[in-house]
Amino acid sequence: MRKDIEFKTEDGTTLRGWHYAPSFGDGRFPTIVMAHGFSAVKELLLDRFAEAFVAAGFAAVVYDHRNLGASDGLPRQHIDPWQQVRDWRDAITYAETLPQTDAQRIGVWGSSYAGAHAMVLGAQDRRVRCVVAQVPLTSGHANFRRLVRADQIVVMQRAFDEDRRRRSRGEPAQLIPVVAPEGQPSALPTPDSYSWMTSRAKEHAPSWRNEVTLQSAELFSEYEPGAYVEFVSPTPLLMVVALDDELAVADEALKTYAKALEPKRLEGIRCGHFDVYDQYFSRSSGAAVSWFIEHL
């Protein structure tokens, strides 16, 4: 059973999403609070994962990050990772109020950029009893330098500085594409990012917009969620890593996993970043379901 929901963050911004609960039973269910990655909206196949969790006996709260999709917030298409983490904590507080939620059994599941947030949440918020980080970003600094050609890094940094000057003058923030054909500037400059985001958005998510503020890319380059991975313990952590990932690069994720303390588990899948949503969905969702069953 799915119904539309909305809730307010601590600063009064309204976030919107879905609440799923099993149709069987009338008690309180362990609940997974879920969100999507960089610029993505919930219609980009998060419903498939939520439905897998519900089939296994969990409830789920799925929502769009502020400034994106159905949620409120300005400026539109602006992505601040730390604000998203704070909002997620407010989403957990909202989930606690639902009569179908067992507040002693709350887990978080995030994918890509939200996989990074899931690790941070596991370290910061002890209401979280279980964490799944799917194809997570683990180091913005390192990943930025893997995605941006060396001779273009200084160019990008100068653009960040000029954008800051524009904003200080009261001018609108500069926007850039999230994805673009190979060779053209974008925030996620890999061929599979362009093909997956554009095709899946056309099929499933008309609210997704192919633009973000330039500052979103700057904040991406400064975000270091992997620094928190040691502090997730004793909360159980599952990392689902796409071993051929060229976006949230796999070797950085594996290095971060090695630093995590027990209890932890690695599900390594020989595929690319976006394959975990499609042809390897059964494997990625199945690993998450098993982890949540074991620990929630």
Side-chain angles (χ1 to χ4, degrees):
M1 180 181 69
R2 184 178 99 183
K3 67 176 183 178
D4 293 339
I5 56 170
E6 63 177 46
F7 59 94
K8 289 191 180 297
T9 63
E10 191 169 0
D11 68 359
T13 301
T14 298
L15 305 185
R16 296 181 179 86
W18 301 317
H19 179 234
Y20 289 81
S23 56
F24 51 87
D26 56 2
R28 294 178 179 267
F29 301 97
T31 297
I32 315 303
V33 184
M34 306 169 55
H36 220 320
F38 191 89
S39 88
V41 295
K42 61 189 181 299
E43 290 84 1
L44 284 169
L45 305 189
L46 287 200
D47 51 342
R48 298 185 70 197
F49 288 90
E51 288 163 3
F53 299 151
V54 171
F58 299 95
V61 170
V62 188
Y63 69 97
D64 284 334
H65 294 292
R66 73 166 62 207
N67 309 332
L68 303 172
S71 290
D72 290 349
L74 296 172
R76 300 304 292 173
Q77 303 305 117
H78 179 62
I79 301 169
D80 179 337
W82 285 110
Q83 184 63 64
Q84 291 185 345
V85 169
R86 289 190 292 271
D87 290 345
W88 203 323
R89 298 185 76 172
D90 292 336
I92 292 168
T93 301
Y94 168 73
E96 289 179 315
T97 70
L98 296 172
Q100 298 91 343
T101 300
D102 181 343
Q104 300 304 310
R105 293 188 291 168
I106 290 178
V108 295
W109 178 98
S111 193
S112 194
Y113 214 35
H117 303 343
M119 292 188 296
V120 175
L121 285 159
Q124 290 186 337
D125 197 325
R126 291 303 168 190
R127 295 176 297 174
V128 175
R129 302 303 177 90
C130 188
V131 176
V132 175
Q134 175 175 280
V135 291
L137 170 78
T138 57
S139 170
H141 180 88
N143 221 94
F144 180 73
R145 282 155 178 76
R146 298 288 287 274
L147 294 175
V148 178
R149 223 173 57 194
D151 63 327
Q152 291 299 306
I153 289 176
V154 171
V155 175
M156 286 288 291
Q157 290 171 334
R158 288 172 180 163
F160 295 156
D161 294 341
E162 182 54 34
D163 183 55
R164 190 175 297 276
R165 296 184 190 103
R166 286 167 51 92
R167 300 195 311 272
S168 74
R169 295 192 295 264
E171 298 174 19
Q174 183 176 343
L175 296 171
I176 60 171
V178 179
V179 295
E182 190 169 4
Q184 297 182 22
S186 66
L188 304 180
T190 64
D192 60 340
S193 298
Y194 177 72
S195 60
W196 192 87
M197 296 291 282
T198 54
S199 64
R200 291 299 178 270
K202 185 177 180 180
E203 294 173 32
H204 303 286
S207 70
W208 178 76
R209 289 169 55 184
N210 188 18
E211 59 183 7
V212 290
T213 64
L214 179 60
Q215 189 186 17
S216 300
E218 182 179 19
L219 293 171
F220 174 103
S221 74
E222 299 169 351
Y223 187 37
E224 292 298 317
Y228 289 82
V229 74
E230 294 175 72
F231 309 120
V232 175
S233 178
T235 303
L237 169 66
L238 170 69
M239 285 181 61
V240 179
V241 177
L243 299 177
D244 296 326
D245 200 329
E246 297 177 352
L247 182 60
V249 289
D251 56 300
E252 291 293 337
L254 293 173
K255 284 192 291 186
T256 298
Y257 176 79
K259 296 176 184 177
L261 305 180
E262 298 290 347
K264 64 178 182 178
R265 181 177 299 164
L266 174 68
E267 181 74 12
I269 305 174
R270 183 62 68 181
C271 68
H273 185 84
F274 296 96
D275 297 329
V276 295
Y277 302 99
D278 289 309
Q279 58 263 51
Y280 289 92
F281 166 77
S282 294
R283 176 98 174 262
S284 60
S285 63
V289 166
S290 295
W291 193 243
F292 286 136
I293 288 174
E294 181 176 351
H295 294 287
L296 293 182

